[in-house]
Amino acid sequence: MGEVQPADPHFETRVRSSFEKQGIMATIGACLVKVVPGEVETEFPYALSLSQHNGYIHAGVLTTVVDSACGYAAYTLMPAEFDVLSIEYKVNFMSPAVGERFRGVGRVVKAGRTITVCAGDMIAVADGKEKVVATMLATMIAVKTKPA
Amino acid sequence: MGEVQPADPHFETRVRSSFEKQGIMATIGACLVKVVPGEVETEFPYALSLSQHNGYIHAGVLTTVVDSACGYAAYTLMPAEFDVLSIEYKVNFMSPAVGERFRGVGRVVKAGRTITVCAGDMIAVADGKEKVVATMLATMIAVKTKPA
Amino acid sequence: MGEVQPADPHFETRVRSSFEKQGIMATIGACLVKVVPGEVETEFPYALSLSQHNGYIHAGVLTTVVDSACGYAAYTLMPAEFDVLSIEYKVNFMSPAVGERFRGVGRVVKAGRTITVCAGDMIAVADGKEKVVATMLATMIAVKTKPA
Amino acid sequence: MGEVQPADPHFETRVRSSFEKQGIMATIGACLVKVVPGEVETEFPYALSLSQHNGYIHAGVLTTVVDSACGYAAYTLMPAEFDVLSIEYKVNFMSPAVGERFRGVGRVVKAGRTITVCAGDMIAVADGKEKVVATMLATMIAVKTKPA
């Protein structure tokens, strides 16, 4: 979606500022690696503190990171006076999340005035090889922010 | 599903032992508060380290905890030589996750030999009042464990 | 949700009038069997013209009928000048749809000004016995109708 | 997924034979337009008998056709002695289904021995222009067929 025109030229600043306010991203150790109109990528390293019972990354952690990527992808296209919220999402887990690093990619599929549909992938990086381990289909909503 | 007969009488020990191996549960501060055949509850207190950008609990954290509740609810009914994995889930977020404590409730809707369907709710407890803030519909699979 | 107050006292007339305009409902042979605030039921008889390759009712037909039940359940609580549209839904199929009649039940889980979350079940009736064969979690949106 | 090797060289015959047994496909007027390993397309013309209350194609009809495309896409990669069933799916509806023809495209995202994840799109064709009006993420299961 490289041809998409963001409604707010300062979209990247808005995304980065919001991302830094998410306590869970620091807990996970996730950082933003790409912020362009309609697409956002986040990344985090493996940690045992994020694992399920077999030592793989917990499905919910993958979900957290790819949800943020999808939400911020939607946010890049929203006017400045709006906030983004996840209405709902569905995730399929296709392979155990084994790897050194994990990258969540969120892309806008359809941007509307109120509702934005996003698709996301969670990619595990192990020994330099990439593998899609989970895929998300999400519905985001633009909510007008209240004046402070 | 109180009338359900678990295949393994030691289901509670299995669930508690597996739960303790999930690094993410310690990170979230979640503990098991109910383990009966076909139903599991988990609970965690509010922490800023689990927040999204408005200070509410991040959707992905709610998902992590209710996914575990659903997965372990399915696990209570599985034979001893099986492990449980989340194939996929869908979550709707209905209200901001505001509260002092959050309780994830997972229930088996349909237990099959291979596939188990579960429903879950995430309940926020604020000032002693309970509110369902998210609801999940999940598909779990029983996978035969490999001999050590 | 018997305690729910509909915004429009003429909700039942609105639902029945809209239902009759759905060509697919006549094709399926579905009729409305219950319309109360926050809950709607629809029913149709078995027909080979609705089958998948094993002769069971096709998953998509179950989905069509329970989607309508959910959509109209949401519609019962909306003000008169709004229309209802399905944003998205997820359905789990738990047993083959075998039976003489099939009943779709849609219930409002959370009614909001813009977004309404609904849950639905598809019940197969065979030899007088009822069985839930599919379950839905759906997101509906209220859209202001344009003046004619 | 053009490089995918089907387990059964007669996959197309199996898909076409199964498709013809689906009574609902004749009712909708849908036909198979593409059957290759890991991808299937189906198409049907607009009919008022498939409409919702505004005259657009009903969400459930779109779902039925794209579910079949996804299911048969999974089926192309399964060994001869297996049948395919939809465990669950999620669909997002992005635009009203307006057009003369509608094409459902189903693709395998991840093929496993038991579970296959598929993605699908429903494309509306109006005045020669194509538009994706709905998108699906689905989970299929391979079930061993019983000897007759």
Side-chain angles (χ1 to χ4, degrees):
Chain A
M1 294 200 46
E3 81 289 359
V4 173
Q5 278 303 100
D8 170 22
H10 306 297
F11 69 89
E12 186 172 348
T13 309
R14 268 195 303 134
V15 168
R16 293 194 178 275
S17 160
S18 176
F19 186 90
E20 275 166 32
K21 286 181 198 142
Q22 298 205 330
I24 187 66
M25 291 302 142
T27 301
I28 290 175
C31 59
L32 280 165
V33 292
K34 185 177 180 184
V35 182
V36 299
E39 188 169 332
V40 166
E41 291 186 20
T42 52
E43 203 177 272
F44 69 97
Y46 178 84
L48 195 59
S49 60
L50 307 173
S51 70
Q52 42 85 284
H53 53 286
N54 296 315
Y56 309 138
I57 298 297
H58 195 284
V61 175
L62 303 176
T63 301
T64 303
V65 174
V66 73
D67 169 41
S68 279
C70 283
Y72 286 126
Y75 195 45
T76 60
L77 304 184
M78 290 179 185
E81 69 274 22
F82 284 86
D83 193 8
V84 61
L85 288 175
S86 300
I87 294 182
E88 64 82 40
Y89 48 62
K90 178 237 204 296
V91 201
N92 269 77
F93 302 96
M94 298 183 291
S95 298
V98 179
E100 299 101 45
R101 286 178 301 126
F102 301 88
R103 195 162 74 248
V105 182
R107 289 174 306 272
V108 171
V109 172
K110 171 78 197 300
R113 210 160 42 109
T114 307
I115 301 296
T116 294
V117 178
C118 294
D121 284 322
M122 180 53 68
I123 297 159
V125 186
D127 295 325
K129 280 181 200 151
E130 303 203 339
K131 186 177 188 177
V132 178
V133 294
T135 191
M136 173 181 274
L137 186 55
T139 311
M140 303 292 168
I141 191 166
V143 180
K144 202 150 199 175
T145 47
K146 288 162 197 145
Chain B
M1 294 198 48
E3 81 288 359
V4 173
Q5 279 302 101
D8 170 22
H10 305 297
F11 68 89
E12 185 172 347
T13 308
R14 269 195 303 135
V15 167
R16 292 193 178 276
S17 161
S18 176
F19 186 90
E20 274 167 32
K21 287 181 198 141
Q22 298 205 329
I24 187 64
M25 290 303 142
T27 302
I28 290 175
C31 59
L32 281 166
V33 292
K34 187 179 179 182
V35 182
V36 298
E39 188 168 332
V40 165
E41 291 187 19
T42 52
E43 202 177 274
F44 68 98
Y46 178 84
L48 195 58
S49 60
L50 307 174
S51 70
Q52 43 85 283
H53 52 286
N54 295 314
Y56 310 139
I57 298 297
H58 195 284
V61 175
L62 302 176
T63 301
T64 303
V65 174
V66 73
D67 169 40
S68 279
C70 283
Y72 286 126
Y75 196 43
T76 61
L77 304 185
M78 290 179 184
E81 68 275 20
F82 285 86
D83 193 8
V84 62
L85 289 175
S86 300
I87 294 182
E88 64 81 39
Y89 47 64
K90 177 234 204 297
V91 200
N92 269 78
F93 302 96
M94 299 183 291
S95 298
V98 179
E100 299 102 44
R101 288 179 300 129
F102 301 88
R103 196 163 73 247
V105 182
R107 289 174 306 272
V108 171
V109 172
K110 172 79 196 297
R113 209 158 44 108
T114 306
I115 301 296
T116 295
V117 179
C118 294
D121 285 321
M122 181 53 68
I123 298 159
V125 185
D127 296 326
K129 278 180 202 155
E130 303 203 338
K131 187 178 187 175
V132 178
V133 295
T135 190
M136 172 180 275
L137 187 55
T139 310
M140 303 292 168
I141 191 166
V143 181
K144 202 148 197 175
T145 47
K146 288 163 197 146
Chain C
M1 295 197 47
E3 80 290 359
V4 173
Q5 278 304 99
D8 170 21
H10 306 298
F11 69 88
E12 185 173 346
T13 308
R14 268 196 303 134
V15 168
R16 293 193 177 276
S17 160
S18 176
F19 186 90
E20 275 167 31
K21 286 181 198 141
Q22 297 204 330
I24 188 63
M25 290 304 143
T27 300
I28 289 175
C31 59
L32 281 165
V33 292
K34 186 177 178 183
V35 182
V36 299
E39 187 169 332
V40 166
E41 291 186 18
T42 51
E43 202 178 273
F44 68 98
Y46 178 84
L48 194 59
S49 60
L50 306 174
S51 70
Q52 43 84 284
H53 52 286
N54 295 314
Y56 309 139
I57 297 297
H58 194 284
V61 175
L62 303 176
T63 301
T64 303
V65 173
V66 74
D67 169 40
S68 279
C70 283
Y72 286 126
Y75 195 44
T76 61
L77 304 184
M78 291 179 183
E81 68 276 20
F82 284 85
D83 193 8
V84 61
L85 288 175
S86 300
I87 294 181
E88 65 81 41
Y89 48 64
K90 178 237 204 294
V91 201
N92 269 76
F93 302 96
M94 300 183 290
S95 299
V98 179
E100 299 102 43
R101 287 178 301 128
F102 301 88
R103 197 163 71 249
V105 182
R107 289 174 305 273
V108 171
V109 172
K110 171 79 195 299
R113 209 160 43 109
T114 306
I115 300 297
T116 295
V117 179
C118 295
D121 285 321
M122 180 54 67
I123 298 159
V125 185
D127 297 325
K129 278 180 202 152
E130 304 203 337
K131 186 177 187 177
V132 178
V133 294
T135 191
M136 172 180 274
L137 188 54
T139 311
M140 303 292 167
I141 191 166
V143 181
K144 202 148 197 175
T145 47
K146 288 162 196 146
Chain D
M1 294 199 47
E3 79 290 0
V4 173
Q5 278 304 99
D8 171 21
H10 305 298
F11 69 88
E12 186 173 346
T13 308
R14 267 196 303 135
V15 168
R16 293 195 178 274
S17 160
S18 176
F19 187 89
E20 275 167 32
K21 287 181 197 140
Q22 296 204 332
I24 187 65
M25 289 303 143
T27 300
I28 290 174
C31 58
L32 281 166
V33 292
K34 186 178 179 183
V35 182
V36 299
E39 187 169 332
V40 166
E41 292 186 19
T42 51
E43 201 177 274
F44 68 97
Y46 178 84
L48 195 59
S49 60
L50 306 174
S51 70
Q52 42 84 285
H53 53 286
N54 296 314
Y56 309 139
I57 298 296
H58 195 284
V61 174
L62 303 175
T63 301
T64 302
V65 173
V66 74
D67 168 41
S68 280
C70 283
Y72 286 125
Y75 196 43
T76 61
L77 304 184
M78 291 180 183
E81 68 276 21
F82 284 85
D83 193 8
V84 61
L85 288 175
S86 301
I87 294 182
E88 66 80 41
Y89 47 64
K90 178 237 205 295
V91 200
N92 268 75
F93 302 96
M94 299 182 290
S95 298
V98 179
E100 300 101 44
R101 286 179 301 128
F102 301 88
R103 197 163 71 248
V105 182
R107 290 173 305 273
V108 171
V109 172
K110 172 79 196 298
R113 209 159 43 108
T114 306
I115 300 297
T116 295
V117 178
C118 294
D121 285 322
M122 181 52 68
I123 298 159
V125 185
D127 297 326
K129 279 180 202 153
E130 303 203 338
K131 186 177 188 177
V132 178
V133 295
T135 191
M136 173 181 273
L137 188 54
T139 312
M140 303 292 167
I141 191 166
V143 181
K144 202 148 197 174
T145 47
K146 288 163 197 145

